[in-house]
Amino acid sequence: EAQVTQNPRYLITVTGKKLTVTCSQNMNHEYMSWYRQDPGLGLRQIYYSMNVEVTDKGDVPEGYKVSRKEKRNFPLILESPSPNQTSLYFCASSPISGGPSGHEQFFGPGTRLTVL
Amino acid sequence: SQQGEEDPQALSIQEGENATMNCSYKTSINNLQWYRQNSGRGLVHLILIRSNEREKHSGRLRVTLDTSKKSSSLLITASRAADTASYFCATDFPTGANNLFFGTGTRLTVIP
């Protein structure tokens, strides 16, 4: 089944404890992206990647890192999480390296992160 | 911000009625997409309309685009309880085509 998977789905952690949220897609998509969703603010893009070893900042990149060593994986790293990073996180992918312009994005199921 | 704005924020209708949601944006776009999100889950793509198109249909969905007013509407006809979800518009722009900008969403409740 074609899908985007994220792990973990739920995570409660404490301030300052490094964590990684994994994202994997099995559709051979070139473009991948991370969003966070907060009440009243909609989805905001954190980082995106147009292909392997090519990443760039979105609207709200502060406090996050990403890597794209393989086409299928795009992990999101929080080196020192803070309470303001408590949010619902989504990974997404699109089939074209030019990005989601004119193409649908496929979303993962989400990771609900709470930072105490 | 280049984010779109949906209107209304919340909408409650009876099953069988039509539901209309609107999206407004600020600058010229390449394309506009509509997505659906069931509570706490991932977004699912519904329909894409290009800037040179005025109307598009997919099953019970009808999307219109008015680039002169910088607005789009999503109409769901003969609504069902299963249509209960949040609906988001997402736009991409001639510059920055690597990004989609999502609105804040309309929460639709269809009462059986």
Side-chain angles (χ1 to χ4, degrees):
Chain A
E1 180 190 353
Q3 60 183 347
V4 178
T5 57
Q6 296 178 226
N7 282 292
R9 295 289 314 280
Y10 303 90
L11 180 60
I12 301 174
T13 189
V14 295
T15 298
K17 186 176 181 181
K18 181 179 178 179
L19 66 92
T20 299
V21 184
T22 64
C23 172
S24 183
Q25 50 91 7
N26 62 1
M27 295 170 280
N28 203 36
H29 285 173
E30 286 154 332
Y31 181 94
M32 297 185 75
S33 180
W34 275 103
Y35 296 88
R36 60 177 290 173
Q37 184 177 29
D38 302 288
L41 296 177
L43 277 84
R44 294 177 293 167
Q45 190 178 50
I46 303 170
Y47 268 95
Y48 64 93
S49 169
M50 294 173 67
N51 216 323
V52 175
E53 302 292 0
V54 181
T55 64
D56 211 343
K57 297 177 180 178
D59 288 334
V60 288
E62 294 78 19
Y64 304 94
K65 284 175 60 177
V66 292
S67 68
R68 188 89 183 274
K69 294 185 172 62
E70 307 164 283
K71 198 173 188 179
R72 64 184 293 129
N73 297 322
F74 190 44
L76 179 70
I77 303 155
L78 285 72
E79 295 268 1
S80 183
S82 62
N84 65 12
Q85 292 178 298
T86 292
S87 188
L88 180 57
Y89 291 86
F90 290 101
C91 181
S93 69
S94 283
I96 306 297
S97 64
S101 176
H103 304 278
E104 70 175 282
Q105 285 200 75
F106 294 81
F107 281 80
T111 295
R112 188 167 292 280
L113 172 65
T114 301
V115 183
L116 302 174
Chain B
S1 169
Q2 294 175 298
Q3 202 174 41
E5 292 286 336
E6 284 93 343
D7 171 61
Q9 290 188 332
L11 179 61
S12 184
I13 60 173
Q14 295 288 330
E15 200 165 32
E17 293 180 338
N18 295 343
T20 300
M21 289 157 268
N22 303 296
C23 169
S24 59
Y25 54 91
K26 295 176 183 174
T27 62
S28 297
I29 60 170
N30 279 338
N31 309 281
L32 187 143
Q33 303 183 38
W34 283 92
Y35 285 81
R36 165 197 168 118
Q37 182 184 33
N38 288 83
S39 183
R41 302 181 72 174
L43 280 73
V44 175
H45 180 263
L46 295 176
I47 200 164
L48 180 151
I49 188 165
R50 302 187 188 281
S51 59
N52 61 355
E53 296 175 314
R54 291 296 166 260
E55 188 170 312
K56 217 163 177 182
H57 297 256
S58 176
R60 292 185 296 113
L61 306 180
R62 173 179 169 251
V63 168
T64 61
L65 179 64
D66 187 336
T67 53
S68 66
K69 294 182 179 177
K70 293 186 172 58
S71 68
S72 173
S73 67
L74 170 67
L75 168 68
I76 304 174
T77 59
S79 63
R80 305 167 182 168
D83 294 328
T84 294
S86 292
Y87 293 82
F88 295 86
C89 67
T91 49
D92 65 76
F93 302 93
T95 56
N98 300 321
N99 300 47
L100 275 183
F101 294 89
F102 285 83
T104 52
T106 292
R107 175 69 190 167
L108 173 65
T109 302
V110 181
I111 302 165

